[in-house]
Amino acid sequence: MDHSSDEEIDASGSDSEMEEYENEAYEELKDGKLRVKISDESFACPFCPQRKRQAYLYKDLLQHATGVGKSRSEKRSTKEKANHLALVKYLEKDIPAAGSTSQPLGETDPHSDCSHVEKIDVSQSEMDNCEDKSYEELKNGNHQVKISDETFTCPYCPTKKRKRDYVYHDLLQHATGVGKSLSEKRTAKEKADHLALVKYLEKDLAAAGSSSQPAGKTENLSGCSQNDKFVWPWTGIAVNLPTRRAEDGRFVGESGSKFRDELKRRGFNPTRVHPLWNFRGHSGTAIVEFNKDWPGLHNAISFEKAYEADQQGKKEWFSSSGEKSGIYCWVARADDYNSNNIIGEHLRKIGDVRTISDLIEEEARKQDKLVSNLTNVIETKNRHLKEMELRCSETSASLNILVQEKEKLLHAYNEEIRKIQTGARDHFQKILNDHEKIKSQLESHKKELEMRGSELEKREAKNESDRQILSEEIEKNAVRNSSLDLAALEQQKADEDVLKLAEDQKRQKEELHKRIIRLEKQLDAKQALELEIERLRGALNVMKHMEDDGDVEVLRKMDVIIKSLREKEGELNDLEALNQTLIVRERKSNDELQEARKELINGLKEISNRAHIGVKRMGELDSKPFLEAMKRKYNNEEAEDRASEICSLWEEYLKDPDWHPFKVVMIDGKHQEIIDEDDEKLSRLRDEMGDEACMSVTASLIQVNEYNPSGRYIISELWNYKEGKKATLGEGVSFLLNRWKALKRKREG
């Protein structure tokens, strides 16, 4: 329930950010970019505004920088605290010698750090020996410390002042406070004895201390009733703080942070010490603030008791005996709250008067309310969890149905593709079989002619007339054989053309699959016609070479083939003319659409980008991330200049065709180009400017690579800003028509 730690985290920012700011400021101080030393004895804070800047002594500047750097005020920014911590580091490391001469010779402060260190150094060896000796006496049982299981006593306090009802924690707090006290009334031996008691309690009586710890929240607050009225938040009062008169006549004193650190060293753990000032300057009083929880009250009571043990409590301050020396402290109560002085005025501003019982009751109410709220929250969360589980199960069921439907569609698609491939293969096989059949028929005709030639050779011996007739028949047969050879060559050439045509068709089908699906029937008819024409041409050539036989049946077939060939050639010419006409119309339509798109882009350039249809400059670099990155390092005016320079540099990089930060990867079985994240320039940009600037450059790179990879310059494109994609020509025309109608209605109205 320690709220102070949360407040410190919220006010101070992250450690890494603080450390980065502190290192930057320290480097600037070391390089002499910021002026600190004005003369041998006067210094200035370079991080305070000009109107608040003043001349400091070395110690005062060190105290000022420490106070600001460790401040818990929300008004102090993280960078301001880090700058002042860097100033502390610079003062302690780089100009400590100057600080030693900047202490005024005529002033002495019994509570200053220097005098305190000197006194400790003088008696340190004596205190160490005395502490070891006292610790051995305590271990040997020469002094009684433990009275019972839960009560202890201090053997080194005078009998008339000795308090015999300490619990373990109170005695440890008392011994620590006396042992580390800076009061001149305490001798070195008295401090050493109490430090030995601290050592004895922590080492030898730790187990007994754990059993004597309070079980409740207020049991360890010995000496205070639950009905005592305290100022809440728990507050202490310190008076008679040392002050001195400055040159302007006003009183000045040490900062509250120094006294706060002293109290922390003594184990009281205050959160803040606030000196009180009036029109004369430092009033010599201060308010000591503690945490708002029960450990904070315990620290405040221990703080009061420690000063009471040193005879510097509230009772001694208000007594009329002699001149007061040293600092007097106590816990603020109702009489201090209602007093008519600067202390009472400040207490009434920062808190109110509460009893311990009231706070316990309020805390119990808050806990009950918190438990009730948490119960309601848990019930609401459980109800939401059940709803989410139900939605998740419904979503899973719908996803399973979609997956099953997808698998069915994929199976049907694969079956259709398989049928198409099987049909194409059967079609080509049929063509090859037909050609083999025609080839076998030609071979049989050739053999028949060869047999006739052999018969004529046998009849050669009959008579000369028969020989003459036979010689004529032989010559005719020779002519016919040559014609058959030519016909066979023509048929072979036709076969090769058909095979080549089939291969070309297959390659074109693979390269232009989408176009073949759209014109499948037309191309199938054209291919079948071409094959029929080739077959008829081959048959016609064969018939031409055989027409000398005078066979009437052959002549009749040849006429039919010639007539069919001419009809097929006419159909082929008609199909080619129709195909060429469609191609010309398609190119003309594409040219007209491109011209219309260009005119639409030129017209929409004058319309504001707030419309959902407009013109987008593809590849243009977004300068906003660069400006934001520069603002983190420079002021607004300088940040704009730096951002403009860096944007211009990266625009030149984008235009450079030699810089191609892409790599090819396999995605879903296809080769695709993606941005190379390990590119040297992109990695350096990410380290220097951040991820947002790097994402802006990669987005421009992708647009340039998609829309203008060869020229690498910015082009205008019709864009649908609402859907974030390239707009179609129909969307642009619809947008212009709607805009024209709106303007027309506005003019008519």
Side-chain angles (χ1 to χ4, degrees):
M1 203 172 158
D2 189 1
H3 302 293
S4 62
S5 62
D6 295 338
E7 294 171 357
E8 290 177 3
I9 292 174
D10 294 338
S12 61
S14 64
D15 294 339
S16 60
E17 187 178 6
M18 283 277 290
E19 185 177 356
E20 183 179 352
Y21 285 141
E22 182 179 347
N23 293 334
E24 290 179 1
Y26 179 66
E27 292 298 328
E28 291 181 353
L29 289 168
K30 283 187 67 177
D31 296 340
K33 296 179 180 179
L34 301 174
R35 184 181 181 189
V36 177
K37 188 172 182 181
I38 302 174
S39 63
D40 291 339
E41 295 187 356
S42 60
F43 301 83
C45 177
F47 301 113
C48 289
Q50 190 68 34
R51 62 178 184 277
K52 295 183 180 179
R53 191 172 295 178
Q54 58 181 355
Y56 290 94
L57 297 176
Y58 177 86
K59 186 179 73 174
D60 294 338
L61 179 58
L62 183 62
Q63 188 172 353
H64 158 75
T66 304
V68 175
K70 297 182 179 180
S71 172
R72 299 173 60 194
S73 174
E74 295 181 357
K75 296 180 180 179
R76 301 286 188 183
S77 65
T78 302
K79 185 173 183 180
E80 188 176 2
K81 295 177 185 178
N83 289 339
H84 283 80
L85 289 176
L87 179 58
V88 172
K89 184 178 179 181
Y90 176 70
L91 289 172
E92 292 176 346
K93 284 190 174 183
D94 297 277
I95 52 173
S100 62
T101 62
S102 63
Q103 179 70 26
L105 298 175
E107 297 180 3
T108 59
D109 186 359
H111 297 281
S112 65
D113 291 341
C114 298
S115 60
H116 174 60
V117 173
E118 291 172 0
K119 292 176 184 177
I120 291 177
D121 292 341
V122 170
S123 57
Q124 188 64 46
S125 59
E126 179 184 352
M127 284 186 65
D128 292 341
N129 294 331
C130 187
E131 180 181 347
D132 295 337
K133 183 177 179 182
S134 300
Y135 178 66
E136 292 297 329
E137 291 178 354
L138 288 169
K139 285 186 66 175
N140 295 331
N142 296 342
H143 299 287
Q144 183 182 8
V145 177
K146 186 175 181 180
I147 300 175
S148 66
D149 290 339
E150 295 186 357
T151 57
F152 301 82
T153 186
C154 177
Y156 298 114
C157 289
T159 305
K160 59 183 180 181
K161 297 182 181 179
R162 185 175 298 175
K163 179 179 178 180
R164 305 196 58 84
D165 57 349
Y166 284 111
V167 295
Y168 176 85
H169 186 77
D170 289 342
L171 180 59
L172 182 63
Q173 189 81 43
H174 160 74
T176 303
V178 175
K180 296 182 180 180
S181 174
L182 300 178
S183 174
E184 296 179 353
K185 296 179 181 180
R186 301 286 186 183
T187 63
K189 186 177 186 310
E190 189 174 1
K191 296 178 182 178
D193 289 340
H194 281 80
L195 289 175
L197 179 58
V198 172
K199 185 176 180 181
Y200 178 68
L201 288 171
E202 292 178 344
K203 286 190 174 183
D204 300 276
L205 294 181
S210 62
S211 63
S212 65
Q213 292 298 314
K217 294 179 180 177
T218 59
E219 291 179 4
N220 61 343
L221 303 176
S222 59
C224 26
S225 171
Q226 291 191 359
N227 295 322
D228 288 348
K229 293 184 177 181
F230 293 90
V231 174
W232 191 86
W234 318 120
T235 307
I237 298 173
V239 298
N240 205 33
L241 295 172
T243 60
R244 57 184 176 84
R245 187 183 296 274
E247 295 179 357
D248 58 358
R250 290 167 58 85
F251 288 94
V252 296
E254 299 289 347
S255 68
S257 60
K258 182 177 180 182
F259 188 49
R260 179 199 63 196
D261 295 339
E262 177 185 336
L263 294 177
K264 281 187 175 181
R265 287 194 296 271
R266 296 181 64 181
F268 302 131
N269 301 320
T271 60
R272 184 187 178 195
V273 175
H274 181 69
L276 300 181
W277 294 69
N278 54 20
F279 66 95
R280 294 181 179 177
H282 199 301
S283 64
T285 59
I287 297 298
V288 182
E289 298 177 2
F290 295 90
N291 288 326
K292 298 179 181 180
D293 50 12
W294 298 113
L297 176 59
H298 176 75
N299 290 331
I301 298 300
S302 301
F303 159 78
E304 182 180 60
K305 288 180 180 179
Y307 278 90
E308 286 179 353
D310 292 340
Q311 300 296 315
Q312 289 181 306
K314 182 176 182 179
K315 181 179 178 182
E316 288 76 16
W317 172 252
F318 285 104
S319 65
S320 58
S321 59
E323 183 179 356
K324 305 293 191 299
S325 63
I327 301 174
Y328 290 76
C329 300
W330 62 89
V331 177
R333 290 179 170 82
D335 54 343
D336 302 304
Y337 183 85
N338 297 320
S339 61
N340 294 323
N341 53 27
I342 190 172
I343 296 175
E345 292 176 1
H346 187 78
L347 291 177
R348 287 191 289 275
K349 290 179 181 178
I350 66 172
D352 56 356
V353 177
R354 308 284 292 274
T355 64
I356 296 176
S357 60
D358 292 340
L359 292 173
I360 293 175
E361 292 175 0
E362 182 180 353
E363 185 173 337
R365 287 194 301 272
K366 289 182 179 179
Q367 287 181 348
D368 293 339
K369 186 177 180 181
L370 178 61
V371 170
S372 176
N373 292 336
L374 289 176
T375 303
N376 294 333
V377 170
I378 290 172
E379 292 177 355
T380 304
K381 294 294 184 183
N382 289 333
R383 187 167 61 254
H384 290 169
L385 180 60
K386 291 180 180 178
E387 293 176 359
M388 292 301 292
E389 289 176 350
L390 180 60
R391 291 179 183 175
C392 184
S393 61
E394 293 175 355
T395 305
S396 299
S398 62
L399 284 176
N400 291 332
I401 294 173
L402 290 175
V403 169
Q404 292 175 0
E405 292 178 354
K406 180 183 176 183
E407 290 178 352
K408 291 180 180 178
L409 292 174
L410 183 61
H411 180 71
Y413 173 77
N414 291 333
E415 285 294 325
E416 187 67 24
I417 293 297
R418 186 180 62 79
K419 290 180 180 178
I420 292 172
Q421 292 176 349
T422 303
R425 186 167 56 253
D426 294 341
H427 180 68
F428 285 120
Q429 187 64 39
K430 183 180 179 182
I431 293 173
L432 292 175
N433 292 336
D434 290 342
H435 283 286
E436 288 293 333
K437 186 177 180 180
I438 294 172
K439 186 177 180 180
S440 63
Q441 290 177 356
L442 291 174
E443 289 291 336
S444 63
H445 283 300
K446 183 178 179 181
K447 290 180 179 179
E448 184 179 352
L449 292 174
E450 288 178 352
M451 289 175 64
R452 288 182 182 181
S454 62
E455 290 177 357
L456 290 174
E457 288 177 356
K458 289 178 181 179
R459 295 174 182 175
E460 185 179 5
K462 287 183 178 182
N463 49 41
E464 283 193 20
S465 61
D466 291 337
R467 192 180 296 114
Q468 187 176 0
I469 295 171
L470 182 59
S471 63
E472 291 176 358
E473 287 288 335
I474 290 172
E475 289 178 0
K476 290 180 179 179
N477 286 334
V479 173
R480 288 175 182 176
N481 286 335
S482 63
S483 299
L484 288 173
D485 291 334
L486 291 174
L489 291 175
E490 290 291 334
Q491 184 62 39
Q492 185 179 358
K493 185 177 180 181
D495 293 341
E496 292 176 355
D497 292 339
V498 170
L499 291 175
K500 185 177 180 181
L501 182 62
E503 292 176 358
D504 291 339
Q505 177 189 359
K506 184 178 180 180
R507 184 173 63 257
Q508 290 173 3
K509 182 176 180 181
E510 292 175 353
E511 295 175 354
L512 304 172
H513 183 66
K514 294 182 180 180
R515 189 171 180 183
I516 289 173
I517 293 174
R518 188 171 62 249
L519 302 174
E520 184 177 5
K521 294 182 180 181
Q522 181 180 350
L523 290 177
D524 287 342
K526 183 179 178 180
Q527 290 168 1
L529 187 58
E530 288 177 351
L531 291 174
E532 185 66 21
I533 290 170
E534 290 295 331
R535 188 182 68 80
L536 292 174
R537 283 178 178 171
L540 180 60
N541 290 331
V542 172
M543 294 300 176
K544 283 181 179 180
H545 292 293
M546 295 175 63
E547 64 183 353
D548 293 334
D549 293 340
D551 194 343
V552 177
E553 183 65 23
V554 173
L555 292 176
R556 188 181 61 79
K557 288 183 179 181
M558 188 175 66
D559 291 337
V560 173
I561 291 172
I562 291 172
K563 184 177 179 181
S564 177
L565 178 61
R566 289 175 180 174
E567 290 176 356
K568 298 296 182 180
E569 286 179 346
E571 292 178 5
L572 179 61
N573 292 332
D574 292 340
L575 288 174
E576 288 180 350
L578 177 60
N579 189 28
Q580 190 65 28
T581 303
L582 292 175
I583 292 172
V584 171
R585 288 183 179 179
E586 182 183 2
R587 290 179 179 174
K588 185 176 180 181
S589 299
N590 287 335
D591 294 340
E592 291 176 353
L593 289 174
Q594 292 299 325
E595 290 296 328
R597 190 177 186 88
K598 289 180 182 179
E599 291 298 327
L600 185 59
I601 290 173
N602 293 332
L604 288 176
K605 284 182 179 179
E606 301 177 359
I607 298 177
S608 172
N609 284 337
R610 289 178 293 180
H612 71 282
I613 299 294
V615 178
K616 182 176 181 181
R617 291 168 58 82
M618 309 308 294
E620 187 173 27
L621 189 61
D622 186 8
S623 62
K624 186 176 180 181
F626 294 90
L627 181 59
E628 293 297 328
M630 289 296 102
K631 283 184 178 180
R632 293 195 290 267
K633 297 182 180 180
Y634 307 99
N635 55 38
N636 290 337
E637 183 177 354
E638 188 174 357
E640 291 180 358
D641 296 337
R642 293 292 182 93
S644 177
E645 293 176 2
I646 294 176
C647 283
S648 299
L649 177 62
W650 277 98
E651 286 174 353
E652 293 300 324
Y653 286 160
L654 290 174
K655 295 177 182 178
D656 185 5
D658 295 330
W659 184 49
H660 190 73
F662 291 90
K663 60 183 180 180
V664 179
V665 297
M666 182 72 73
I667 300 176
D668 296 333
K670 297 181 180 180
H671 292 282
Q672 295 185 11
E673 274 191 338
I674 62 171
I675 293 294
D676 186 5
E677 299 292 342
D678 298 330
D679 183 73
E680 182 180 355
K681 290 183 179 179
L682 293 178
S683 300
R684 187 167 63 252
L685 175 64
R686 187 182 299 106
D687 296 338
E688 295 176 356
M689 307 296 294
D691 291 335
E692 293 182 358
C694 185
M695 290 174 63
S696 176
V697 172
T698 55
S700 298
L701 272 172
I702 292 172
Q703 291 175 2
V704 168
N705 193 51
E706 180 179 357
Y707 289 94
N708 190 15
S710 59
R712 297 293 289 269
Y713 57 84
I714 298 172
I715 63 172
S716 298
E717 185 57 70
L718 192 62
W719 195 258
N720 189 331
Y721 288 97
K722 184 177 181 180
E723 299 181 3
K725 66 177 185 178
K726 181 178 178 181
T728 63
L729 186 60
E731 291 175 343
V733 173
S734 298
F735 170 74
L736 284 181
L737 286 175
N738 293 334
R739 191 174 183 87
W740 176 76
K741 290 178 181 178
L743 291 174
K744 184 178 180 182
R745 286 195 298 268
K746 187 182 295 184
R747 291 174 182 175
E748 291 176 354

